[in-house]
């Protein structure tokens, strides 16, 4: 049984303009139970982790995290349910097929409704990803590790590419491995794996200092530009490295890394004992 949305009253409070169930028909909640169960499992496995999800279940609906999770569960359950259930969206709201006055919605109308659920799902995912890092127990979860594997633990890469709501979550998953690979290339040649690992964690947890935030923003811009144009701006990358070099106290991970040696060639010293001694 669902643990976040536990009855018809709660469900209908989350769905605007819902028509009452006709006499003799099963409540909308009863029809949605298997879809609510699967949506809750998806939210737990993908975003919160089971332990935190169990804790959220005990919160009241006045808690922002509970409200966001509840809305996310609702739109995902509705998205999954609408093609399978005799539910229609009328000008006045939802209703169940089974009366003389209602007929099944057209495919185009169903598709539009599913699209609207996807748009709302993206909005709630974005809100959830902004809120989860403020919960200490989330940082140690497998889900936090997943989102913390790049400098984009959010939808900002998609905003930079102009991806509209309704497509963002699927596009994020599609781009994620490529973004991680691009970051690895930049780490190897410019910024070091040590520094990027530190910046990723601080970006995820919202603990970046001002100069770190500047560098993260600049690197993220380069990655977005690469996804648009297929190349990095080497001059701009060099500027970012010079900024890091000029602020050693703020970036010790880079200065102590092997990559730093690539930008600090040995200084030539004229030695009489050397074969290349110049008079």
């Amino acid at each position: 049984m669902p643990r976040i949305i536990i009855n018809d009253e709660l469900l209908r409070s989350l769905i605007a303009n819902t028509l009452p169930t006709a006499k003799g028909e099963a409540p909308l909640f009863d029809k949605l139970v298997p879809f609510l169960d699967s949506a809750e499992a998806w939210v737990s496995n993908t975003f919160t982790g089971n332990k935190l999800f169990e804790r959220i279940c005990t919160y009241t609906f006045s808690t922002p995290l509970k409200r966001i999770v509840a809305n996310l569960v609702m739109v995902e359950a509705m998205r999954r349910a609408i093609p399978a259930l005799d539910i229609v969206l009328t000008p006045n709201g939802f209703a169940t097929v089974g009366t003389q006055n209602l007929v099944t919605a057209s495919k185009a109308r169903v598709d539009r409704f599913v699209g609207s659920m996807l748009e709302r799902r993206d909005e709630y995912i974005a809100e959830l990803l902004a809120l989860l890092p403020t919960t200490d127990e989330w940082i140690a979860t497998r889900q936090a590790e997943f989102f913390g594997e790049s400098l984009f633990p959010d939808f900002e890469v998609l905003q930079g590419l102009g991806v509209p709501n309704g497509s963002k979550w699927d596009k994020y998953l599609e781009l994620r491995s490529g973004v991680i690979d691009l970051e690895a290339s930049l780490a190897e040649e410019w910024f070091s794996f040590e520094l990027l690992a530190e910046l990723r964690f601080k970006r995820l947890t919202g603990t970046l200092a001002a100069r770190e935030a500047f560098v993260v923003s600049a690197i993220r811009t380069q990655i977005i530009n690469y996804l648009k144009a297929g190349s990095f701006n080497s001059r701009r990358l060099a500027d970012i490295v010079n900024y890091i070099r000029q602020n050693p106290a703020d970036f010790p991970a880079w200065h102590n890394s092997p990559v730093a040696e690539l930008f600090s060639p040995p200084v030539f010293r004229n030695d009489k004992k050397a074969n290349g001694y110049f008079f």
Side-chain angles (χ1 to χ4, degrees):
M1 287 294 293
R3 294 170 292 168
I4 293 288
I5 302 173
I6 60 175
N7 56 45
D8 195 63
E9 182 181 0
L10 279 175
L11 173 64
R12 290 174 179 275
S13 71
L14 298 171
I15 305 175
N17 300 323
T18 305
L19 292 179
T21 302
K23 184 177 181 180
E25 290 183 324
L28 179 59
F29 173 80
D30 292 352
K31 294 189 175 189
L32 288 180
V33 162
F35 302 98
L36 290 168
D37 284 337
S38 62
E40 287 187 0
W42 174 70
V43 171
S44 176
N45 293 333
T46 307
F47 300 103
T48 65
N50 187 63
K51 184 177 179 180
L52 178 56
F53 189 86
E54 293 290 343
R55 184 184 294 274
I56 293 171
C57 291
T58 68
Y59 294 166
T60 66
F61 271 83
S62 62
T63 307
L65 188 55
K66 178 73 170 276
R67 290 200 306 271
I68 292 171
V69 168
N71 278 288
L72 180 54
V73 166
M74 180 273 294
V75 297
E76 179 62 10
M78 293 297 293
R79 182 191 72 82
R80 298 182 184 200
I82 292 303
L85 297 181
D86 290 332
I87 298 175
V88 298
L89 178 64
T90 76
N92 296 318
F94 295 103
T96 55
V97 175
T99 71
Q100 295 179 350
N101 298 323
L102 291 173
V103 295
T104 305
S106 67
K107 181 180 183 301
R109 195 168 190 179
V110 169
D111 288 345
R112 287 197 299 272
F113 174 71
V114 172
S116 72
M117 291 296 100
L118 288 173
E119 291 179 5
R120 293 180 64 184
R121 185 182 71 170
D122 282 351
E123 292 173 1
Y124 292 131
I125 289 174
E127 291 180 24
L128 184 59
L129 291 178
L131 194 56
L132 282 173
T134 65
T135 306
D136 291 339
E137 64 186 282
W138 182 75
I139 301 301
T141 65
R142 172 179 58 82
Q143 289 75 19
E145 181 180 355
F146 175 87
F147 289 102
E149 286 180 344
S150 86
L151 292 173
F152 292 93
D154 50 32
F155 285 169
E156 188 166 330
V157 63
L158 308 175
Q159 294 167 357
L161 296 174
V163 177
N165 270 349
S167 305
K168 285 184 177 179
W169 174 241
D170 292 334
K171 191 66 175 179
Y172 179 86
L173 295 178
E174 177 186 332
L175 291 176
R176 179 177 174 273
S177 60
V179 168
I180 291 173
D181 187 61
L182 290 174
E183 289 184 16
S185 297
L186 292 178
E188 185 174 16
E189 299 181 23
W190 298 88
F191 304 115
S192 82
F193 291 99
E194 293 84 355
L195 176 59
L196 281 193
E198 184 176 298
L199 294 178
R200 288 185 191 115
F201 180 79
K202 290 185 176 182
R203 174 67 183 81
L204 177 69
T205 57
T207 55
L208 289 167
R211 285 172 177 164
E212 292 171 328
F214 174 81
V215 167
V216 166
S217 177
I219 295 174
R220 281 158 55 109
T221 297
Q222 285 301 304
I223 291 173
I224 291 173
N225 288 343
Y226 187 99
L227 293 173
K228 289 180 177 179
S231 63
F232 292 119
N233 184 328
S234 297
R235 176 63 180 271
R236 185 66 186 115
L237 291 174
D239 289 342
I240 300 169
V241 169
N242 284 335
Y243 182 84
I244 293 171
R245 293 179 67 193
Q246 292 165 7
N247 296 281
D250 297 284
F251 304 100
W254 185 87
H255 285 270
N256 294 323
S257 73
V259 171
E261 298 177 6
L262 301 177
F263 298 89
S264 300
V267 177
F268 173 76
R269 299 183 185 282
N270 202 14
D271 188 344
K272 292 182 178 181
K273 297 181 180 180
N275 292 332
Y277 173 69
F278 290 94
F279 294 93

